[in-house]
Amino acid sequence: FQAKPGDMLSVRVAKYASLTMPVSSGFDLAVVAYDSSGQVLYLNSATSLFAAVSTGSGTATKLDLPALPADGDGLVNIVVFDLANQTGNYGISVSTLNRPCGSKSLACGFAVQGRLATPLAVDSYKASLSGTATVSIRTASTDAGGSLVPVIEVYDPQGKPVLSVQSVATAIFKTTQQGDYTVLVESSNYLQTGGYTMAFARLDQPCNAGGAPPQALSCASPVVDDSINGVLQTNSYSVAAQASDAFLLRLAQTSPSSAFRPRVDVYDPQGNQIQFVNTNAVAPPLVFTAPTGGSYTLSVSDSSPGGGQTGTYSLSLVRLNRPCNAPALGCGALAAGSFSRSLASSVYTYTAAAGESFTLRMLDYTGALQPDLEVYDSQGNPVGQIASGNVTGVDVAQPAAGVYTVVAMDAGVRQAGGPFGIELLRTRNACSAASPQGQTVTGVINGGEPFISYSILASTGDALLVRSASITPGFAAQMELYDPTGARLDSSTFKLSRTVSATGTYTVIVGASAPLTAGGYALSWQL
């Protein structure tokens, strides 16, 4: 084999069976490599180098030679023989590791197609990289029903193996020096044949198909509809972030008849993975925080086995600690909104005083939604507990002082959206006047005022009785009781009765027991 002085070589050898000549159990190859002066470069004479194989199969292995003498002529003489004087078929191939064989190269955002036409075939590619690159390489078979399992090997500019990328189908690695890296594609057992595709990407300098820059996501375009149209295709999006920014990521597969399983990987400006999420329907919302300022990357691919499925997806991104164009919610004031599509969201803010507990309610006006309501503090951390009841709600007890972000969403993936209402009420220092003990008050629940709150003064050990009655036929009022800290205690339609454990102001919130019904009611309380 004519190499260059200083080259690093890898030799693959295999023994084969044929229809007329099965592999003898005694047929065992030995390989010796010499430089042109006759010095041994590699010697393998172990009698157990290959195990016995049956007709129609074969056994192969890889032998890496040390660097050729820099002052030599690069010529290598390889001797193959059988240790036991048996006969049989074999194959051999040689690749250079410190430089690619041929002129094939890899570039960010480009997928290459290839074919391993014969056993022991190896395709060799060059990737010119900086010394601080973060690289992703994926490969998959393109022959439906074929036996080929393609794998990759990566070597640095000196021909030394990148240890984390040896005989794997998918790899992410960081470079340690600048230069031309060698990427080899071969079959997992060196003997399979067939077509393959390989995708190459820079995670620290992301790009889309054809080398195009990633699409920038902003608050003005919170929902993206896109598709994966080819094997191992990756779509990249960039997000500008400040240190400690928190984001809410949602992902949905929108091809109902496809086995496509979209996956989103989140990478920091240096190409380090922060989070990932995948789904075959609608993924649970994912919150990730930017450790440092810079441009972050969302990389979307197919995560089904083999990465060969195609389909459509939607994703949305909401910044939680610095929400964009978010109106403020007032206590007891109903805010109306509408979702125009799946994965749409409406974002609001609320400024809470320290310990001033509050609760939120979300009403679905048409029944077409799957309402979802979430609350985050000023650092983007989720807060609150789901308020069990007949409407979607969240209770936030004894919050720290600050600005809170409220995100209203439709959890469905294929709904067309619809109108909704959202209301915030304080459960400590309620936005209502005190209700006198022993006196009946009346009110009306309707679309403009679906919830009304009342304050009650009680002391430790008091036996509290709260009652309601309907004034409108077919209507019933739902009462919810909160203690002086704003924590939920109880809920009932006609009567609440309990011995209170703390002195202070209790809050009762009245709404409709059947959502979206309206009517008049009477309310009274007594100790």
Side-chain angles (χ1 to χ4, degrees):
F1 180 82
Q2 183 60 60
K4 294 181 179 179
D7 271 353
M8 300 280 289
L9 303 181
S10 182
V11 180
R12 284 143 177 83
V13 291
K15 59 179 182 178
Y16 300 105
S18 69
L19 294 177
T20 58
M21 182 181 291
V23 175
S24 167
S25 60
F27 177 51
D28 209 359
L29 297 176
V31 179
V32 189
Y34 304 85
D35 65 19
S36 59
S37 68
Q39 296 296 313
V40 173
L41 293 171
Y42 186 94
L43 170 65
N44 191 320
S45 59
T47 57
S48 60
L49 176 60
F50 298 107
V53 293
S54 59
T55 300
S57 63
T59 304
T61 194
K62 179 181 72 169
L63 314 171
D64 289 339
L65 277 57
L68 302 183
D71 56 355
D73 57 9
L75 183 65
V76 179
N77 294 313
I78 303 171
V79 179
V80 182
F81 62 95
D82 178 64
L83 293 168
N85 198 27
Q86 299 289 325
T87 59
N89 301 321
Y90 75 91
I92 183 169
S93 68
V94 183
S95 300
T96 52
L97 303 180
N98 57 308
R99 58 184 177 87
C101 299
S103 59
K104 297 178 180 179
S105 62
L106 299 172
C108 183
F110 288 85
V112 297
Q113 306 286 331
R115 176 164 289 276
L116 302 176
T118 62
L120 297 182
V122 179
D123 279 355
S124 181
Y125 296 86
K126 177 179 73 175
S128 299
L129 298 169
S130 68
T132 58
T134 304
V135 179
S136 168
I137 305 180
R138 298 184 298 152
T139 185
S141 172
T142 56
D143 291 349
S147 63
L148 175 65
V149 179
V151 295
I152 53 176
E153 295 180 359
V154 178
Y155 297 85
D156 69 16
Q158 280 68 52
K160 298 178 180 178
V162 178
L163 296 178
S164 62
V165 194
Q166 295 294 301
S167 298
V168 293
T170 300
I172 295 176
F173 67 96
K174 291 182 178 293
T175 61
T176 56
Q177 55 185 295
Q178 182 175 351
D180 293 338
Y181 284 70
T182 299
V183 180
L184 303 181
V185 183
E186 59 197 356
S187 74
S188 60
N189 67 357
Y190 310 123
L191 299 174
Q192 302 154 345
T193 61
Y196 68 87
T197 186
M198 180 169 58
F200 178 88
R202 287 278 300 270
L203 300 180
D204 56 324
Q205 297 178 7
C207 55
N208 280 319
Q215 178 184 340
L217 301 182
S218 68
C219 293
S221 56
V223 182
V224 172
D225 297 311
D226 215 331
S227 61
I228 297 294
N229 301 313
V231 177
L232 299 187
Q233 178 184 331
T234 298
N235 294 337
S236 296
Y237 308 88
S238 63
V239 180
Q242 298 179 9
S244 299
D245 273 352
F247 296 89
L248 177 69
L249 173 65
R250 300 169 68 205
L251 174 67
Q253 197 261 42
T254 55
S255 299
S257 60
S258 171
F260 172 55
R261 186 176 175 85
R263 168 175 170 141
V264 178
D265 290 274
V266 182
Y267 298 98
D268 69 12
Q270 290 72 46
N272 301 306
Q273 187 190 58
I274 297 177
Q275 291 273 18
F276 81 92
V277 62
N278 59 3
T279 184
N280 54 10
V282 183
L286 172 72
V287 176
F288 70 90
T289 301
T292 61
S295 180
Y296 286 71
T297 301
L298 306 182
S299 179
V300 183
S301 60
D302 171 40
S303 65
S304 64
Q309 299 296 325
T310 60
T312 58
Y313 63 89
S314 297
L315 66 86
S316 69
L317 194 70
V318 175
R319 193 168 60 212
L320 298 174
N321 59 314
R322 296 186 298 119
C324 306
N325 307 318
L329 293 173
C331 185
L334 180 68
S338 182
F339 298 131
S340 61
R341 49 154 305 151
S342 61
L343 287 197
S345 60
S346 291
V347 183
Y348 306 87
T349 62
Y350 175 69
T351 303
E356 199 172 73
S357 304
F358 60 93
T359 187
L360 291 145
R361 300 289 186 273
M362 183 177 176
L363 295 167
D364 173 13
Y365 289 141
T366 63
L369 306 177
Q370 295 182 33
D372 188 7
L373 193 60
E374 300 194 12
V375 184
Y376 299 87
D377 66 15
S378 56
Q379 285 76 49
N381 301 309
V383 296
Q385 293 184 334
I386 295 175
S388 59
N390 53 11
V391 296
T392 300
V394 176
D395 290 332
V396 181
Q398 297 184 289
V403 178
Y404 289 76
T405 299
V406 178
V407 184
M409 299 176 287
D410 177 12
V413 61
R414 298 183 178 95
Q415 286 87 342
F420 67 91
I422 185 170
E423 185 170 355
L424 181 146
L425 300 105
R426 288 196 298 268
T427 54
R428 184 179 182 190
N429 187 25
C431 38
S432 62
S435 174
Q437 180 182 188
Q439 297 183 23
T440 298
V441 296
T442 60
V444 176
I445 297 298
N446 55 36
E449 195 173 20
F451 301 97
I452 301 174
S453 62
Y454 298 91
S455 298
I456 294 174
L457 293 174
S459 300
T460 302
D462 281 345
L464 174 63
L465 173 66
V466 186
R467 295 189 300 158
S468 69
S470 173
I471 298 174
T472 302
F475 173 77
Q478 184 77 23
M479 300 178 294
E480 298 172 84
L481 179 64
Y482 292 81
D483 72 11
T485 69
R488 176 187 290 261
L489 293 177
D490 206 349
S491 178
S492 183
T493 52
F494 299 111
K495 182 178 74 172
L496 287 170
S497 177
R498 65 185 300 125
T499 299
V500 301
S501 60
T503 298
T505 301
Y506 290 73
T507 302
V508 175
I509 295 177
V510 179
S513 62
L516 305 181
T517 58
Y521 64 90
L523 179 80
S524 68
W525 66 274
Q526 185 62 266
L527 299 177

